[in-house]
Amino acid sequence: MTTNAELFERYTAILPPYVHPLYEEPISIDHGEGGYVWDVEGNRYLDFFGGVLTTMVGHANPSVVAAVQEQAAKVMHTSTLYLSEPMIELAERIAAISGIPDARVFFTTSGSEANDTAILLATSYRRSNQVLAMRNSYHGRSFTAQAITSHSAWSSTSLSGLAVNFVQGGYRLRSPFRHMDDEEFTAACVDDLQQVIDMMTAGDVACLIAEPIQGVGGFATPPDGFFGAMQKVLANHGILFVTDEVQTGWGRTGEHFWGYQAHDIVPDMLTFAKGVGNGITLAGIVARAEVMDTIKVLSFSTFGGNPLSTAAGLATLDYVLDNDLQANAKAMGERMTAALRPVVERTPWIAELRGKGLMQAIETVHPDSIEPDAGRAGAVLEGCKRRGLLVGKGGLYGNAIRITPMLDVTADEIDEGVTALVETIEEIS
Ligand SMILES: Cc1ncc(COP(=O)(O)O)c(C=O)c1O
């Protein structure tokens, strides 16, 4: 039997040091079923992270597996040079539910490539290399996506052909406006946006790109209506709004199907990735035709819209809609909040519980302060693992625990996961 330790040794020897696995003793997941996974040594875990919100409707989901197997047995790849039915159908379905009028869809292989495409379109459409993004953002690892990422732990270069300014946003705990109420906070950030445009840009700005809830940033969540208020300023300047729904899409926030819908706003573009393929590589961008069609030359992504990926996407989307998993995310998210809230409130080293639906996080700090404490986040991660629960880490200082059960999580699974989490929190002083 291959052991976790052996694989860790081989991983470290061959992969670069900037990728590293979770845990002091990392695990290799051998297989999964529904909300559970088993490592190569046979240990079972309840999976409340889904490989970073990507296995979204359960491991080995029978309908997704059947769709993938059926498609794999027919044809796995053709490209946009041919008329792939699953690709066309998934594009039609995503366009219809995107909320973007006169929508067109372009498929890519990753969230980074989707965001690259959004920036390519916005800068071409607006004939400007100026872009606005939010502080504490993460939009991917490609050269362009890095330029719009504002997160020192994940920013590998400052070189860019873009002129980017980062505006104040939803990471309220560490915002200079943190003492304000929702309305004042939003107004202060809108003022900041206006000032950045006036003082730090040279006229026409292409777009503002934002995650409705910041994923890697530890689920920093602005007040509802926040981006709608921002868009009033953007609209005055003709600046496009791009919503990065890579983590917030497909009903995960419970209240809405897309994160942007909490904000009384219609985006010009929407990018998606992660959960839609339930683990199969699938991502893309939705844009108004006028913006999407701004590229006048040929463009192509070899694997984008691949029949295998889009078959998985269609099966995943059907599963989400047929089982009303958005409603489940809302109900199970509320159950999780209700169970976690009391322990969070009595724990002096947890600054807050935040997020929505099935994307919630706690941020760990030194007791009774907001000084980040990554050590305690690490202890939570390890304690949960010992109890058979996988959660994620994130946040600007590596001090946020991200809790993201499958969208079809059951009440029993929520209770099991929360019990492990609460016991872990209570054992840490
Ligand atoms: C909000 C957001 N956008 C974009 C990306 C990049 O996606 P990918 O890793 O598929 O390139 C991520 C990845 O974590 C993300 O969380």
Side-chain angles (χ1 to χ4, degrees):
M1 179 186 76
T2 313
T3 64
N4 290 316
E6 281 163 12
L7 287 170
F8 183 35
E9 211 178 299
R10 287 167 61 193
Y11 177 111
T12 313
I14 199 70
L15 297 180
Y18 44 81
V19 295
H20 57 91
L22 289 174
Y23 304 116
E24 282 161 17
E25 294 176 3
I27 55 169
S28 169
I29 293 174
D30 179 66
H31 64 282
E33 190 181 331
Y36 293 89
V37 291
W38 285 259
D39 72 13
V40 287
E41 296 171 12
N43 302 304
R44 187 182 90 143
Y45 303 90
L46 176 60
D47 187 359
F48 272 16
F49 202 37
V52 196
L53 296 82
T54 301
T55 305
M56 183 170 81
V57 295
H59 294 275
N61 179 299
S63 54
V64 180
V65 170
V68 169
Q69 285 176 337
E70 201 183 308
Q71 187 61 50
K74 288 205 294 184
V75 63
M76 285 207 268
H77 179 72
T78 62
S79 87
T80 41
L81 298 180
Y82 303 93
L83 309 175
S84 160
E85 187 165 3
M87 175 185 72
I88 296 166
E89 191 176 330
L90 185 61
E92 290 167 347
R93 300 272 304 275
I94 292 176
I97 53 176
S98 70
I100 295 182
D102 195 19
R104 298 288 186 276
V105 178
F106 182 81
F107 289 111
T108 64
T109 50
S110 68
S112 303
E113 195 195 344
N115 286 330
D116 265 15
T117 308
I119 299 301
L120 173 70
L121 293 173
T123 52
S124 305
Y125 179 79
R126 293 277 295 152
R127 302 201 151 279
S128 163
N129 73 335
Q130 297 183 80
V131 171
L132 301 173
M134 310 304 294
R135 295 196 188 179
N136 196 44
S137 60
Y138 180 84
H139 295 290
R141 67 167 300 281
S142 68
F143 197 48
T144 310
Q146 282 283 284
I148 51 175
T149 286
S150 157
H151 200 299
S152 55
W154 291 96
S155 296
S156 52
T157 179
S158 63
L159 296 177
S160 172
L162 298 171
V164 184
N165 279 292
F166 294 98
V167 300
Q168 293 285 349
Y171 191 19
R172 216 160 157 171
L173 184 70
R174 298 184 192 284
S175 163
F177 313 132
R178 65 179 165 272
H179 304 297
M180 298 177 179
D181 68 22
D182 283 2
E183 217 171 294
E184 290 166 347
F185 176 82
T186 299
C189 292
V190 170
D191 286 349
D192 175 68
L193 171 67
Q194 183 66 67
Q195 197 168 74
V196 168
I197 293 170
D198 291 346
M199 293 184 176
M200 295 158 82
T201 67
D204 297 339
V205 171
C207 67
L208 168 70
I209 183 164
E211 303 153 87
I213 296 177
Q214 293 180 321
V216 173
F219 297 169
T221 310
D224 285 358
F226 180 92
F227 290 110
M230 301 283 267
Q231 198 187 26
K232 293 198 174 80
V233 173
L234 302 178
N236 288 339
H237 297 268
I239 300 170
L240 303 179
F241 179 75
V242 184
T243 182
D244 177 340
E245 300 280 351
V246 167
Q247 298 209 13
T248 45
W250 321 106
R252 181 164 286 281
T253 66
E255 287 173 3
H256 299 99
F257 198 76
W258 304 109
Y260 80 77
Q261 289 167 325
H263 296 281
D264 193 20
I265 191 173
V266 178
D268 297 286
M269 287 187 256
L270 175 160
T271 58
F272 61 86
K274 291 202 189 287
V276 61
N278 204 42
I280 301 264
T281 312
L282 177 61
I285 171 161
V286 190
R288 282 191 283 121
E290 183 200 359
V291 178
M292 185 70 96
D293 299 350
T294 197
I295 295 176
K296 301 297 179 208
V297 298
L298 294 169
S299 199
F300 177 76
S301 166
T302 299
F303 291 115
N306 171 292
L308 197 64
S309 312
T310 46
L314 281 169
T316 306
L317 189 56
D318 279 342
Y319 191 82
V320 167
L321 297 174
D322 293 350
N323 295 289
D324 197 3
L325 295 189
Q326 181 189 325
N328 193 56
K330 186 166 189 316
M332 293 302 111
E334 282 166 1
R335 189 179 183 95
M336 191 158 83
T337 310
L340 287 176
R341 177 81 57 209
V343 70
V344 165
E345 277 169 9
R346 64 174 182 264
T347 305
W349 51 266
I350 298 181
E352 63 182 4
L353 171 67
R354 59 181 179 239
K356 286 183 176 180
L358 294 175
M359 70 184 288
Q360 299 191 28
I362 56 175
E363 176 156 345
T364 59
V365 289
H366 288 282
D368 303 315
S369 75
I370 61 163
E371 195 191 331
D373 185 354
R376 280 191 174 87
V380 174
L381 201 75
E382 296 290 344
C384 286
K385 178 181 166 235
R386 255 187 287 117
R387 291 176 172 81
L389 174 70
L390 304 184
V391 290
K393 222 161 68 134
L396 185 59
Y397 304 103
N399 65 328
I401 292 293
R402 293 191 282 168
I403 312 152
T404 60
M406 304 291 156
L407 295 192
D408 59 349
V409 68
T410 63
D412 283 350
E413 288 167 349
I414 289 286
D415 296 349
E416 182 186 330
V418 167
T419 301
L421 197 51
V422 169
E423 277 177 23
T424 301
I425 291 170
E426 282 175 344
E427 87 179 348
I428 300 168
S429 52

